Amino acid sequence: MGLKEKLHNIKEQNKDKKWLPAFSAIHTFLYTPNETTHSGGHVRAADDLKRTMNMVVLALVPCLIFGMFNTGYQHYAAIGEAVDFLSWDAFLIGLIKILPLVIVSYVVGLGVEFIFAIIKGHEVEEGYLVTGMLVPLIVPVDIPLWMLSVAVIFGVVIGKEVFGGTGMNILNPALTIRAFLFFAYPTWMSGDKVWVHGADPRVQNLIEGAKPDAISGETVLGALAQGKELAYSVSDMFFGFIPGSVGETSTLLILLAGLFLIFTKIGSWRIMLSAVIGALVMGLIFNSVVSTGWITESSKFYTLMSTEFWHHLIIGGFAFGVVFMATDPVTASQTNKGKWIYGFLIGFISIMIRVFNPAYPEGVMLAILLMNVFAPTIDHYVVQGNVKKRMKRLKAKVA
């Protein structure tokens, strides 16, 4: 019996009705639903949630592939072996390390989604298609799979399902997962030994031929937070030939992905642009403070404060967070004016946290989660402001 016939029998005979969401999810993923509307006014469109999510996943694929090459390249560079970036050896290391992260993320996350759909009797939404791809791109490559599984379960249940599922959550699920990992397992998420495969002493003994004394996994932000000078050129940071999370290093690919999302009208250009403006403003403020002499070189904040303001855009996960997470249509502001405010504050606060919290120089995660909470408030006051303006115009006409 085919999938279509099985689904038809479940609907007609009302047998095993609790399994209907699971069959329906597979059916609508493989086939176009044959259900049509029968009443009311509707707008016909070629896109739906599934196609929207697929477009975002498509934009993430170049970052994923680049991350595989970079993972292997950084590993061999760290142990002192020369290897070409676009080599099979580099790609194979990345594939072996990253593919399990992707598989675990999707299997565990979609498993939780299916369980909740069956228990609650609602349809399985496609929202996790993007979250499942985002998670492997924002975690250290050597993170244990069981740890990732626990975080995914927490993020899907607490970050989304308790609010009612896709479209009802107030926090970005992928960032909720990363925040859980950071606060629950901080030694696996911070420091100079977690961002390069094999750099962590806990996994060095698993790598044949590794040279523990030669391995280093320090990121650009980690070095700056410790008061060290930049060890990479601007071009390396822009193109992504640096240690870091799997998908966050290449600003070039993230920029192209952002343009793709804007062109397909999935990502908000207002949020992206305003976040960049906010980051530049905060960076300029810190540069001005340093130039006035208020902060001396002995200060622990000096190195990050004196970093060129525009360098903040190409280091760390700022670009990735702004393009793929700040623009999440569910958790971001919905009004046009609200998007400008929301994005600006994300950029502004990201750089502020990056500078004032050397223990956690990557502030874009906390900035986005914070603004996710305040997004409804921003929209509320924007709407109320528009209402007051219209009331004033109405009163003026009446008078």
Side-chain angles (χ1 to χ4, degrees), residues 131-165:
T131 303
M133 181 62 74
L134 283 173
V135 172
L137 298 182
I138 60 176
V139 297
V141 69
D142 276 333
I143 191 167
L145 297 180
W146 70 265
M147 201 176 289
L148 180 64
S149 301
V150 172
V152 168
I153 293 172
F154 176 88
V156 175
V157 175
I158 304 300
K160 185 163 70 170
E161 292 298 337
V162 296
F163 294 102

PDB file of all heavy atoms in Angstrom, residues 131-165:
ATOM      1  N   THR A 131      16.411  25.409  11.466  1.00  0.00           N
ATOM      2  CA  THR A 131      17.093  25.259  12.752  1.00  0.00           C
ATOM      3  C   THR A 131      18.051  24.086  12.729  1.00  0.00           C
ATOM      4  O   THR A 131      19.179  24.171  13.234  1.00  0.00           O
ATOM      5  CB  THR A 131      16.064  25.060  13.879  1.00  0.00           C
ATOM      6  OG1 THR A 131      15.155  26.162  13.896  1.00  0.00           O
ATOM      7  CG2 THR A 131      16.753  24.971  15.232  1.00  0.00           C
ATOM      8  N   GLY A 132      17.622  22.977  12.124  1.00  0.00           N
ATOM      9  CA  GLY A 132      18.474  21.798  12.058  1.00  0.00           C
ATOM     10  C   GLY A 132      19.758  22.019  11.291  1.00  0.00           C
ATOM     11  O   GLY A 132      20.775  21.362  11.564  1.00  0.00           O
ATOM     12  N   MET A 133      19.759  22.931  10.342  1.00  0.00           N
ATOM     13  CA  MET A 133      20.963  23.258   9.599  1.00  0.00           C
ATOM     14  C   MET A 133      21.788  24.324  10.322  1.00  0.00           C
ATOM     15  O   MET A 133      23.029  24.307  10.273  1.00  0.00           O
ATOM     16  CB  MET A 133      20.603  23.743   8.193  1.00  0.00           C
ATOM     17  CG  MET A 133      21.802  24.080   7.316  1.00  0.00           C
ATOM     18  SD  MET A 133      22.875  22.662   6.993  1.00  0.00           S
ATOM     19  CE  MET A 133      21.866  21.756   5.823  1.00  0.00           C
ATOM     20  N   LEU A 134      21.122  25.244  10.993  1.00  0.00           N
ATOM     21  CA  LEU A 134      21.837  26.309  11.688  1.00  0.00           C
ATOM     22  C   LEU A 134      22.681  25.772  12.845  1.00  0.00           C
ATOM     23  O   LEU A 134      23.815  26.206  13.054  1.00  0.00           O
ATOM     24  CB  LEU A 134      20.850  27.347  12.225  1.00  0.00           C
ATOM     25  CG  LEU A 134      20.248  28.338  11.233  1.00  0.00           C
ATOM     26  CD1 LEU A 134      19.164  29.163  11.902  1.00  0.00           C
ATOM     27  CD2 LEU A 134      21.326  29.249  10.662  1.00  0.00           C
ATOM     28  N   VAL A 135      22.124  24.851  13.599  1.00  0.00           N
ATOM     29  CA  VAL A 135      22.787  24.371  14.818  1.00  0.00           C
ATOM     30  C   VAL A 135      24.190  23.829  14.555  1.00  0.00           C
ATOM     31  O   VAL A 135      25.143  24.223  15.240  1.00  0.00           O
ATOM     32  CB  VAL A 135      21.907  23.324  15.535  1.00  0.00           C
ATOM     33  CG1 VAL A 135      22.673  22.670  16.682  1.00  0.00           C
ATOM     34  CG2 VAL A 135      20.641  23.976  16.066  1.00  0.00           C
ATOM     35  N   PRO A 136      24.394  22.927  13.571  1.00  0.00           N
ATOM     36  CA  PRO A 136      25.765  22.439  13.349  1.00  0.00           C
ATOM     37  C   PRO A 136      26.743  23.522  12.905  1.00  0.00           C
ATOM     38  O   PRO A 136      27.951  23.362  13.056  1.00  0.00           O
ATOM     39  CB  PRO A 136      25.590  21.394  12.226  1.00  0.00           C
ATOM     40  CG  PRO A 136      24.153  21.034  12.239  1.00  0.00           C
ATOM     41  CD  PRO A 136      23.439  22.277  12.664  1.00  0.00           C
ATOM     42  N   LEU A 137      26.218  24.619  12.377  1.00  0.00           N
ATOM     43  CA  LEU A 137      27.089  25.684  11.869  1.00  0.00           C
ATOM     44  C   LEU A 137      27.516  26.673  12.939  1.00  0.00           C
ATOM     45  O   LEU A 137      28.378  27.516  12.684  1.00  0.00           O
ATOM     46  CB  LEU A 137      26.374  26.436  10.739  1.00  0.00           C
ATOM     47  CG  LEU A 137      26.009  25.610   9.502  1.00  0.00           C
ATOM     48  CD1 LEU A 137      25.359  26.499   8.445  1.00  0.00           C
ATOM     49  CD2 LEU A 137      27.218  24.904   8.922  1.00  0.00           C
ATOM     50  N   ILE A 138      26.932  26.587  14.139  1.00  0.00           N
ATOM     51  CA  ILE A 138      27.242  27.576  15.173  1.00  0.00           C
ATOM     52  C   ILE A 138      27.833  26.942  16.430  1.00  0.00           C
ATOM     53  O   ILE A 138      27.934  27.613  17.463  1.00  0.00           O
ATOM     54  CB  ILE A 138      25.987  28.394  15.555  1.00  0.00           C
ATOM     55  CG1 ILE A 138      24.885  27.482  16.092  1.00  0.00           C
ATOM     56  CG2 ILE A 138      25.499  29.206  14.368  1.00  0.00           C
ATOM     57  CD1 ILE A 138      23.651  28.243  16.569  1.00  0.00           C
ATOM     58  N   VAL A 139      28.233  25.672  16.346  1.00  0.00           N
ATOM     59  CA  VAL A 139      28.819  25.002  17.502  1.00  0.00           C
ATOM     60  C   VAL A 139      30.256  24.589  17.186  1.00  0.00           C
ATOM     61  O   VAL A 139      30.632  24.472  16.011  1.00  0.00           O
ATOM     62  CB  VAL A 139      27.993  23.755  17.902  1.00  0.00           C
ATOM     63  CG1 VAL A 139      26.594  24.157  18.329  1.00  0.00           C
ATOM     64  CG2 VAL A 139      27.940  22.739  16.761  1.00  0.00           C
ATOM     65  N   PRO A 140      31.076  24.369  18.205  1.00  0.00           N
ATOM     66  CA  PRO A 140      32.440  23.874  17.961  1.00  0.00           C
ATOM     67  C   PRO A 140      32.410  22.511  17.282  1.00  0.00           C
ATOM     68  O   PRO A 140      31.534  21.686  17.545  1.00  0.00           O
ATOM     69  CB  PRO A 140      33.028  23.781  19.378  1.00  0.00           C
ATOM     70  CG  PRO A 140      32.222  24.736  20.193  1.00  0.00           C
ATOM     71  CD  PRO A 140      30.838  24.675  19.622  1.00  0.00           C
ATOM     72  N   VAL A 141      33.367  22.269  16.437  1.00  0.00           N
ATOM     73  CA  VAL A 141      33.353  21.064  15.613  1.00  0.00           C
ATOM     74  C   VAL A 141      33.554  19.791  16.436  1.00  0.00           C
ATOM     75  O   VAL A 141      33.109  18.714  16.041  1.00  0.00           O
ATOM     76  CB  VAL A 141      34.430  21.183  14.511  1.00  0.00           C
ATOM     77  CG1 VAL A 141      35.820  21.114  15.112  1.00  0.00           C
ATOM     78  CG2 VAL A 141      34.249  20.112  13.446  1.00  0.00           C
ATOM     79  N   ASP A 142      34.217  19.882  17.579  1.00  0.00           N
ATOM     80  CA  ASP A 142      34.496  18.704  18.390  1.00  0.00           C
ATOM     81  C   ASP A 142      33.496  18.474  19.512  1.00  0.00           C
ATOM     82  O   ASP A 142      33.732  17.636  20.387  1.00  0.00           O
ATOM     83  CB  ASP A 142      35.906  18.802  19.003  1.00  0.00           C
ATOM     84  CG  ASP A 142      36.982  18.334  18.046  1.00  0.00           C
ATOM     85  OD1 ASP A 142      36.671  17.498  17.180  1.00  0.00           O
ATOM     86  OD2 ASP A 142      38.130  18.804  18.161  1.00  0.00           O
ATOM     87  N   ILE A 143      32.396  19.187  19.519  1.00  0.00           N
ATOM     88  CA  ILE A 143      31.427  19.028  20.600  1.00  0.00           C
ATOM     89  C   ILE A 143      30.868  17.603  20.583  1.00  0.00           C
ATOM     90  O   ILE A 143      30.553  17.059  19.519  1.00  0.00           O
ATOM     91  CB  ILE A 143      30.293  20.063  20.468  1.00  0.00           C
ATOM     92  CG1 ILE A 143      29.443  20.071  21.732  1.00  0.00           C
ATOM     93  CG2 ILE A 143      29.430  19.804  19.238  1.00  0.00           C
ATOM     94  CD1 ILE A 143      28.510  21.256  21.821  1.00  0.00           C
ATOM     95  N   PRO A 144      30.775  16.945  21.740  1.00  0.00           N
ATOM     96  CA  PRO A 144      30.244  15.572  21.785  1.00  0.00           C
ATOM     97  C   PRO A 144      28.812  15.504  21.256  1.00  0.00           C
ATOM     98  O   PRO A 144      28.000  16.396  21.511  1.00  0.00           O
ATOM     99  CB  PRO A 144      30.302  15.218  23.278  1.00  0.00           C
ATOM    100  CG  PRO A 144      31.366  16.111  23.837  1.00  0.00           C
ATOM    101  CD  PRO A 144      31.269  17.390  23.059  1.00  0.00           C
ATOM    102  N   LEU A 145      28.492  14.431  20.551  1.00  0.00           N
ATOM    103  CA  LEU A 145      27.171  14.301  19.939  1.00  0.00           C
ATOM    104  C   LEU A 145      26.068  14.181  20.981  1.00  0.00           C
ATOM    105  O   LEU A 145      24.963  14.689  20.773  1.00  0.00           O
ATOM    106  CB  LEU A 145      27.153  13.095  18.998  1.00  0.00           C
ATOM    107  CG  LEU A 145      28.107  13.167  17.795  1.00  0.00           C
ATOM    108  CD1 LEU A 145      27.983  11.917  16.943  1.00  0.00           C
ATOM    109  CD2 LEU A 145      27.831  14.416  16.959  1.00  0.00           C
ATOM    110  N   TRP A 146      26.353  13.529  22.113  1.00  0.00           N
ATOM    111  CA  TRP A 146      25.323  13.416  23.143  1.00  0.00           C
ATOM    112  C   TRP A 146      24.987  14.786  23.726  1.00  0.00           C
ATOM    113  O   TRP A 146      23.833  15.078  24.060  1.00  0.00           O
ATOM    114  CB  TRP A 146      25.764  12.459  24.259  1.00  0.00           C
ATOM    115  CG  TRP A 146      26.880  12.981  25.131  1.00  0.00           C
ATOM    116  CD1 TRP A 146      28.210  12.752  24.985  1.00  0.00           C
ATOM    117  CD2 TRP A 146      26.748  13.839  26.282  1.00  0.00           C
ATOM    118  NE1 TRP A 146      28.928  13.400  25.964  1.00  0.00           N
ATOM    119  CE2 TRP A 146      28.056  14.077  26.784  1.00  0.00           C
ATOM    120  CE3 TRP A 146      25.673  14.419  26.935  1.00  0.00           C
ATOM    121  CZ2 TRP A 146      28.299  14.858  27.901  1.00  0.00           C
ATOM    122  CZ3 TRP A 146      25.905  15.216  28.063  1.00  0.00           C
ATOM    123  CH2 TRP A 146      27.209  15.431  28.536  1.00  0.00           C
ATOM    124  N   MET A 147      25.996  15.627  23.821  1.00  0.00           N
ATOM    125  CA  MET A 147      25.794  16.974  24.344  1.00  0.00           C
ATOM    126  C   MET A 147      24.934  17.796  23.381  1.00  0.00           C
ATOM    127  O   MET A 147      24.028  18.533  23.800  1.00  0.00           O
ATOM    128  CB  MET A 147      27.161  17.641  24.537  1.00  0.00           C
ATOM    129  CG  MET A 147      27.181  18.800  25.504  1.00  0.00           C
ATOM    130  SD  MET A 147      28.884  19.413  25.715  1.00  0.00           S
ATOM    131  CE  MET A 147      29.594  18.067  26.664  1.00  0.00           C
ATOM    132  N   LEU A 148      25.208  17.636  22.102  1.00  0.00           N
ATOM    133  CA  LEU A 148      24.407  18.318  21.092  1.00  0.00           C
ATOM    134  C   LEU A 148      22.969  17.817  21.137  1.00  0.00           C
ATOM    135  O   LEU A 148      22.027  18.612  21.006  1.00  0.00           O
ATOM    136  CB  LEU A 148      25.014  18.077  19.704  1.00  0.00           C
ATOM    137  CG  LEU A 148      24.290  18.725  18.524  1.00  0.00           C
ATOM    138  CD1 LEU A 148      24.331  20.246  18.639  1.00  0.00           C
ATOM    139  CD2 LEU A 148      24.911  18.274  17.208  1.00  0.00           C
ATOM    140  N   SER A 149      22.774  16.526  21.341  1.00  0.00           N
ATOM    141  CA  SER A 149      21.428  15.957  21.407  1.00  0.00           C
ATOM    142  C   SER A 149      20.636  16.547  22.557  1.00  0.00           C
ATOM    143  O   SER A 149      19.466  16.928  22.406  1.00  0.00           O
ATOM    144  CB  SER A 149      21.507  14.427  21.547  1.00  0.00           C
ATOM    145  OG  SER A 149      22.187  13.843  20.469  1.00  0.00           O
ATOM    146  N   VAL A 150      21.260  16.624  23.725  1.00  0.00           N
ATOM    147  CA  VAL A 150      20.589  17.197  24.897  1.00  0.00           C
ATOM    148  C   VAL A 150      20.198  18.649  24.629  1.00  0.00           C
ATOM    149  O   VAL A 150      19.092  19.089  24.963  1.00  0.00           O
ATOM    150  CB  VAL A 150      21.501  17.100  26.142  1.00  0.00           C
ATOM    151  CG1 VAL A 150      20.895  17.855  27.318  1.00  0.00           C
ATOM    152  CG2 VAL A 150      21.734  15.646  26.523  1.00  0.00           C
ATOM    153  N   ALA A 151      21.112  19.406  24.022  1.00  0.00           N
ATOM    154  CA  ALA A 151      20.837  20.818  23.740  1.00  0.00           C
ATOM    155  C   ALA A 151      19.704  20.979  22.735  1.00  0.00           C
ATOM    156  O   ALA A 151      18.859  21.864  22.877  1.00  0.00           O
ATOM    157  CB  ALA A 151      22.100  21.500  23.221  1.00  0.00           C
ATOM    158  N   VAL A 152      19.681  20.126  21.708  1.00  0.00           N
ATOM    159  CA  VAL A 152      18.616  20.199  20.697  1.00  0.00           C
ATOM    160  C   VAL A 152      17.263  19.900  21.336  1.00  0.00           C
ATOM    161  O   VAL A 152      16.269  20.584  21.065  1.00  0.00           O
ATOM    162  CB  VAL A 152      18.909  19.230  19.532  1.00  0.00           C
ATOM    163  CG1 VAL A 152      17.683  19.091  18.640  1.00  0.00           C
ATOM    164  CG2 VAL A 152      20.096  19.722  18.725  1.00  0.00           C
ATOM    165  N   ILE A 153      17.210  18.879  22.174  1.00  0.00           N
ATOM    166  CA  ILE A 153      15.950  18.554  22.859  1.00  0.00           C
ATOM    167  C   ILE A 153      15.491  19.737  23.700  1.00  0.00           C
ATOM    168  O   ILE A 153      14.312  20.127  23.674  1.00  0.00           O
ATOM    169  CB  ILE A 153      16.128  17.300  23.745  1.00  0.00           C
ATOM    170  CG1 ILE A 153      16.380  16.071  22.866  1.00  0.00           C
ATOM    171  CG2 ILE A 153      14.899  17.071  24.623  1.00  0.00           C
ATOM    172  CD1 ILE A 153      16.750  14.826  23.651  1.00  0.00           C
ATOM    173  N   PHE A 154      16.411  20.334  24.441  1.00  0.00           N
ATOM    174  CA  PHE A 154      16.068  21.501  25.262  1.00  0.00           C
ATOM    175  C   PHE A 154      15.570  22.652  24.388  1.00  0.00           C
ATOM    176  O   PHE A 154      14.556  23.281  24.686  1.00  0.00           O
ATOM    177  CB  PHE A 154      17.294  21.959  26.056  1.00  0.00           C
ATOM    178  CG  PHE A 154      17.061  23.213  26.859  1.00  0.00           C
ATOM    179  CD1 PHE A 154      16.557  23.148  28.142  1.00  0.00           C
ATOM    180  CD2 PHE A 154      17.346  24.467  26.313  1.00  0.00           C
ATOM    181  CE1 PHE A 154      16.336  24.303  28.883  1.00  0.00           C
ATOM    182  CE2 PHE A 154      17.129  25.624  27.039  1.00  0.00           C
ATOM    183  CZ  PHE A 154      16.618  25.541  28.331  1.00  0.00           C
ATOM    184  N   GLY A 155      16.305  22.937  23.303  1.00  0.00           N
ATOM    185  CA  GLY A 155      15.943  24.065  22.458  1.00  0.00           C
ATOM    186  C   GLY A 155      14.595  23.904  21.798  1.00  0.00           C
ATOM    187  O   GLY A 155      13.811  24.862  21.717  1.00  0.00           O
ATOM    188  N   VAL A 156      14.286  22.688  21.314  1.00  0.00           N
ATOM    189  CA  VAL A 156      13.007  22.462  20.635  1.00  0.00           C
ATOM    190  C   VAL A 156      11.851  22.480  21.633  1.00  0.00           C
ATOM    191  O   VAL A 156      10.804  23.074  21.372  1.00  0.00           O
ATOM    192  CB  VAL A 156      13.030  21.125  19.860  1.00  0.00           C
ATOM    193  CG1 VAL A 156      11.667  20.830  19.255  1.00  0.00           C
ATOM    194  CG2 VAL A 156      14.087  21.171  18.760  1.00  0.00           C
ATOM    195  N   VAL A 157      12.046  21.840  22.792  1.00  0.00           N
ATOM    196  CA  VAL A 157      10.969  21.755  23.780  1.00  0.00           C
ATOM    197  C   VAL A 157      10.743  23.093  24.477  1.00  0.00           C
ATOM    198  O   VAL A 157       9.630  23.633  24.481  1.00  0.00           O
ATOM    199  CB  VAL A 157      11.271  20.661  24.827  1.00  0.00           C
ATOM    200  CG1 VAL A 157      10.209  20.667  25.928  1.00  0.00           C
ATOM    201  CG2 VAL A 157      11.325  19.293  24.166  1.00  0.00           C
ATOM    202  N   ILE A 158      11.804  23.637  25.060  1.00  0.00           N
ATOM    203  CA  ILE A 158      11.675  24.879  25.845  1.00  0.00           C
ATOM    204  C   ILE A 158      11.636  26.106  24.948  1.00  0.00           C
ATOM    205  O   ILE A 158      10.943  27.078  25.250  1.00  0.00           O
ATOM    206  CB  ILE A 158      12.841  24.997  26.849  1.00  0.00           C
ATOM    207  CG1 ILE A 158      12.889  23.756  27.750  1.00  0.00           C
ATOM    208  CG2 ILE A 158      12.700  26.262  27.689  1.00  0.00           C
ATOM    209  CD1 ILE A 158      11.637  23.533  28.564  1.00  0.00           C
ATOM    210  N   GLY A 159      12.400  26.080  23.869  1.00  0.00           N
ATOM    211  CA  GLY A 159      12.475  27.257  23.021  1.00  0.00           C
ATOM    212  C   GLY A 159      11.332  27.409  22.040  1.00  0.00           C
ATOM    213  O   GLY A 159      11.089  28.506  21.530  1.00  0.00           O
ATOM    214  N   LYS A 160      10.593  26.289  21.762  1.00  0.00           N
ATOM    215  CA  LYS A 160       9.542  26.386  20.751  1.00  0.00           C
ATOM    216  C   LYS A 160       8.242  25.697  21.150  1.00  0.00           C
ATOM    217  O   LYS A 160       7.176  26.314  21.142  1.00  0.00           O
ATOM    218  CB  LYS A 160      10.049  25.819  19.426  1.00  0.00           C
ATOM    219  CG  LYS A 160       9.056  25.989  18.286  1.00  0.00           C
ATOM    220  CD  LYS A 160       9.703  25.804  16.934  1.00  0.00           C
ATOM    221  CE  LYS A 160      10.085  24.374  16.682  1.00  0.00           C
ATOM    222  NZ  LYS A 160      10.504  24.166  15.268  1.00  0.00           N
ATOM    223  N   GLU A 161       8.300  24.422  21.498  1.00  0.00           N
ATOM    224  CA  GLU A 161       7.072  23.659  21.703  1.00  0.00           C
ATOM    225  C   GLU A 161       6.229  24.168  22.867  1.00  0.00           C
ATOM    226  O   GLU A 161       4.997  24.135  22.815  1.00  0.00           O
ATOM    227  CB  GLU A 161       7.400  22.176  21.899  1.00  0.00           C
ATOM    228  CG  GLU A 161       7.955  21.493  20.663  1.00  0.00           C
ATOM    229  CD  GLU A 161       6.979  21.499  19.502  1.00  0.00           C
ATOM    230  OE1 GLU A 161       5.764  21.619  19.727  1.00  0.00           O
ATOM    231  OE2 GLU A 161       7.448  21.390  18.349  1.00  0.00           O
ATOM    232  N   VAL A 162       6.880  24.629  23.938  1.00  0.00           N
ATOM    233  CA  VAL A 162       6.100  25.117  25.081  1.00  0.00           C
ATOM    234  C   VAL A 162       5.320  26.384  24.736  1.00  0.00           C
ATOM    235  O   VAL A 162       4.353  26.728  25.426  1.00  0.00           O
ATOM    236  CB  VAL A 162       7.006  25.378  26.309  1.00  0.00           C
ATOM    237  CG1 VAL A 162       7.624  24.105  26.802  1.00  0.00           C
ATOM    238  CG2 VAL A 162       8.078  26.407  25.988  1.00  0.00           C
ATOM    239  N   PHE A 163       5.736  27.072  23.674  1.00  0.00           N
ATOM    240  CA  PHE A 163       5.021  28.272  23.241  1.00  0.00           C
ATOM    241  C   PHE A 163       3.943  27.956  22.207  1.00  0.00           C
ATOM    242  O   PHE A 163       3.194  28.849  21.812  1.00  0.00           O
ATOM    243  CB  PHE A 163       6.003  29.286  22.651  1.00  0.00           C
ATOM    244  CG  PHE A 163       6.969  29.848  23.645  1.00  0.00           C
ATOM    245  CD1 PHE A 163       8.272  29.381  23.703  1.00  0.00           C
ATOM    246  CD2 PHE A 163       6.581  30.829  24.549  1.00  0.00           C
ATOM    247  CE1 PHE A 163       9.169  29.891  24.621  1.00  0.00           C
ATOM    248  CE2 PHE A 163       7.473  31.348  25.471  1.00  0.00           C
ATOM    249  CZ  PHE A 163       8.774  30.869  25.516  1.00  0.00           C
ATOM    250  N   GLY A 164       3.891  26.697  21.742  1.00  0.00           N
ATOM    251  CA  GLY A 164       2.864  26.319  20.788  1.00  0.00           C
ATOM    252  C   GLY A 164       3.393  25.865  19.441  1.00  0.00           C
ATOM    253  O   GLY A 164       2.620  25.566  18.548  1.00  0.00           O
ATOM    254  N   GLY A 165       4.722  25.806  19.277  1.00  0.00           N
ATOM    255  CA  GLY A 165       5.290  25.330  18.026  1.00  0.00           C
ATOM    256  C   GLY A 165       5.745  26.443  17.106  1.00  0.00           C
ATOM    257  O   GLY A 165       5.828  27.620  17.498  1.00  0.00           O
TER     258      GLY A 165
END
